[in-house]
Amino acid sequence: MRKVYTTAAAELSYYKTLDYLQVNWSNTEHQNFEEQVQRILTTIVNHPFAYPATESNKVIRKAVILNVISMYYRVYDDSIEVLLFWDNRRNPEALSL
């Protein structure tokens, strides 16, 4: 089974997303986000290629968590690296992975 690691950028963007949801959305959405992240990570551990590769970099994959938030990750032989949580409403040209 692959282990999951997070980059510093992933951790920072995860907590910023949680903060944003807590301030601007309901507690239900905040909790839903956390549950969805856990479900997606479980799926990725068992089926790492379940989510599509990005068009710009085929080794990076994108999992949509909520309509407005996605998680980017990379699959290695023995691990999965979570790269970033991204607000899909932002300019996609600002996304650098």
Side-chain angles (χ1 to χ4, degrees):
M1 181 173 6
R2 290 178 171 91
K3 293 189 181 220
V4 177
Y5 299 96
T6 57
T7 63
E11 287 186 31
L12 179 62
S13 59
Y14 176 80
Y15 288 113
K16 281 187 174 185
T17 300
L18 282 178
D19 289 345
Y20 176 82
L21 291 174
Q22 189 169 19
V23 170
N24 297 293
W25 291 27
S26 69
N27 284 337
T28 303
E29 291 300 324
H30 183 270
Q31 186 175 18
N32 184 36
F33 172 74
E34 290 184 290
E35 290 170 1
Q36 283 294 100
V37 169
Q38 289 307 310
R39 277 189 217 121
I40 287 171
L41 288 174
T42 299
T43 299
I44 290 170
V45 165
N46 295 313
H47 307 284
F49 301 101
Y51 296 96
T54 62
E55 290 182 24
S56 60
N57 188 338
K58 298 298 181 193
V59 299
I60 296 175
R61 300 187 140 343
K62 175 184 176 182
V64 177
I65 299 169
L66 301 173
N67 287 338
V68 297
I69 303 166
S70 293
M71 180 182 76
Y72 290 86
Y73 68 98
R74 181 180 298 141
V75 178
Y76 293 100
D77 290 337
D78 60 349
S79 64
I80 293 163
E81 180 182 40
V82 178
L83 302 169
L84 185 68
F85 291 84
W86 180 259
D87 184 336
N88 296 327
R89 298 169 294 182
R90 292 183 58 193
N91 181 351
E93 292 178 8
L95 179 62
S96 62
L97 297 170

